[in-house]
Amino acid sequence: MKKLLCCFVLCLSQFAMAEKALHLFNWNDYIAEDTVSRFEAECGCKVVQDYFSATEEMMAKLLAGAGDYDVVIPTQNAVEALVKQGFLLPLDKSKLSNIGNTAKGFLNKDYDPGNIYSLPYAFTTTLIGYNEQKIAELDIDPSDWSIIFDPAVLKKIKGKVTVMDDSEELFAAALKYLGYSINDNDEKHLKEAQALILKAKPYWAAFNSSSYIKELTVGNIWVAHGYSSDMFQARADAADAGRDFSVNFVLPKQGAVLALDNMVIPKKARDPELALQFINFMMAPENAAELTNVVGTGNPNAAATPFIEPEILKISAIFPNEEVQKGLETVAARNAKQRRLLNKLWTEVKVR
């Protein structure tokens, strides 16, 4: 009888383990497969991933009721919006033994003073990825936003350019090209940015925030507006495939967006304890470094630096130096009126 009872308990335990799952809502291509496997082995769970390619897409899905993810990776302005809407669970820091690994400069930001709800995951810049041979042949400067906005330049690469399908990112680039802050909410300046975008639009192949890595890698497009981590991947993929061209990426000289992505737990999380385990796991130096070494992200984890490949640390588009940082800005959360204006201008861009 005792033997039968033990078997029953063991079966229940195995069933529970098989059912244990962390539901992660993350950007596309934003965690190493080996990291996921190690967390699954360490915690005896499965990681179920769902992806988004733009902040608006993530916010729309969460606020429509899909908030039962255990961990979400929002950018700083989205954290601010989610906090204001009472959407997030305060972090129990007594269960985050690796919290001291985070560099102090990435903590206690205005969007979440005291890091009550969020902790840094990674940072990226939004820049230009390009086919080195084609752009050199056409004598185009890739380190200037004119490569996606100036019709005189675009005539040389018509149909070979993609820009992000993301209103915040595209308007930020246009505002920077015009000499304004990415957080400029002056209606006149935003309409100038819209006019710039509309003039350039006929020369673009597509608005694309998800598959531009592949398009750049196979040579279908020669210029892509996108994230530094994605361009890092495109460059590696093109090299691995032995293409007869190389992919590179660069920050435009007028400045660009720096995005600080964070780990948060929604109030509707299915397993908050497992969520805390995942956050703590990602703050371990080796796991944080793997995010940079495999995915090509900037890294807010100071303890991870010795584990990051030296050649990646030298790439200023991923780890910008002090001088480059002066031209970078993070996107701030807009109020309701400002959001309505941007949405109106964006809709007009898409339908024309």
Side-chain angles (χ1 to χ4, degrees):
M1 185 62 186
K2 185 185 278 187
K3 191 174 180 181
L4 186 62
L5 182 61
C6 285
C7 287
F8 179 68
V9 170
L10 181 61
C11 286
L12 277 180
S13 172
Q14 288 177 336
F15 178 75
M17 185 173 287
E19 288 297 299
K20 192 175 176 184
L22 177 95
H23 294 264
L24 174 64
F25 195 25
N26 200 355
W27 294 85
N28 294 315
D29 304 306
Y30 214 36
I31 190 168
E33 288 181 16
D34 287 350
T35 308
V36 172
S37 300
R38 282 203 308 280
F39 179 72
E40 289 176 331
E42 183 174 304
C43 294
C45 70
K46 291 296 295 179
V47 176
V48 181
Q49 298 194 65
D50 197 3
Y51 306 100
F52 54 89
S53 56
T55 293
E56 292 94 333
E57 178 188 347
M58 176 204 67
M59 292 294 286
K61 192 165 185 179
L62 291 182
L63 299 178
D68 56 348
Y69 295 105
D70 298 302
V71 177
V72 181
I73 312 292
T75 304
Q76 72 284 326
N77 53 319
V79 172
E80 186 174 355
L82 291 169
V83 169
K84 284 179 179 174
Q85 298 193 41
F87 196 85
L88 303 179
L89 201 64
L91 300 174
D92 183 350
K93 293 175 187 166
S94 69
K95 296 178 179 174
L96 298 173
S97 58
N98 291 323
I99 196 169
N101 293 335
T102 303
K104 287 186 171 52
F106 290 97
L107 296 172
N108 199 30
K109 295 291 189 182
D110 289 344
Y111 59 85
D112 182 19
N115 293 89
I116 304 297
Y117 302 97
S118 65
L119 282 167
Y121 178 78
F123 60 87
T124 60
T125 54
T126 311
L127 39 62
I128 296 295
Y130 61 99
N131 181 313
E132 283 194 296
Q133 284 65 38
K134 292 292 183 185
I135 296 309
E137 285 169 16
L138 295 167
D139 194 25
I140 296 173
D141 178 5
S143 66
D144 191 301
W145 283 120
S146 61
I147 197 170
I148 64 168
F149 289 126
D150 185 348
V153 177
L154 287 166
K155 281 178 187 171
K156 301 178 183 178
I157 48 178
K158 185 175 182 180
K160 295 293 184 182
V161 181
T162 63
V163 296
M164 297 192 74
D165 191 7
D166 183 312
S167 60
E168 291 282 7
E169 291 286 1
L170 192 55
F171 270 82
L175 287 166
K176 273 294 187 188
Y177 181 55
L178 293 169
Y180 302 127
S181 163
I182 63 172
N183 293 309
D184 193 327
N185 282 297
D186 185 314
E187 185 170 349
K188 181 183 169 191
H189 296 166
L190 285 170
K191 285 186 174 176
E192 277 184 59
Q194 185 199 42
L196 182 73
I197 291 168
L198 286 170
K199 276 187 184 175
K201 184 181 173 185
Y203 297 92
W204 299 335
F207 293 89
N208 186 338
S209 294
S210 55
S211 62
Y212 61 83
I213 297 177
K214 181 182 175 186
E215 297 298 319
L216 195 56
T217 301
V218 300
N220 287 344
I221 59 168
W222 300 340
V223 175
H225 167 225
Y227 298 117
S228 50
S229 54
D230 286 345
M231 301 311 176
F232 176 87
Q233 188 65 54
R235 185 173 72 172
D237 288 351
D240 290 346
R243 304 289 181 200
D244 59 359
F245 59 84
S246 53
V247 170
N248 207 344
F249 51 98
V250 65
L251 277 165
K253 62 186 74 164
Q254 296 93 344
V257 171
L258 173 73
L260 180 57
D261 295 319
N262 299 266
M263 299 176 279
V264 301
I265 304 175
K267 280 184 178 172
K268 292 166 63 179
R270 307 177 198 200
D271 194 337
E273 288 298 314
L274 188 58
L276 285 167
Q277 287 181 55
F278 177 78
I279 291 173
N280 200 49
F281 179 85
M282 289 307 301
M283 290 192 296
E286 296 86 347
N287 299 327
E290 193 165 51
L291 187 59
T292 295
N293 290 334
V294 176
V295 181
T297 68
N299 206 309
N301 190 312
T305 303
F307 300 94
I308 296 174
E309 294 171 13
E311 57 269 30
I312 298 178
L313 288 171
K314 292 177 186 171
I315 302 174
S316 66
I318 296 177
F319 288 97
N321 60 33
E322 270 188 39
E323 187 60 32
V324 176
Q325 285 178 36
K326 291 176 184 172
L328 302 178
E329 293 183 83
T330 55
V331 176
R334 298 177 194 273
N335 63 34
K337 183 180 176 185
Q338 293 162 348
R339 281 201 306 275
R340 281 196 298 275
L341 173 60
L342 186 63
N343 289 341
K344 175 178 174 290
L345 297 175
W346 179 244
T347 301
E348 290 170 358
V349 164
K350 297 299 289 286
V351 299
R352 286 192 195 176

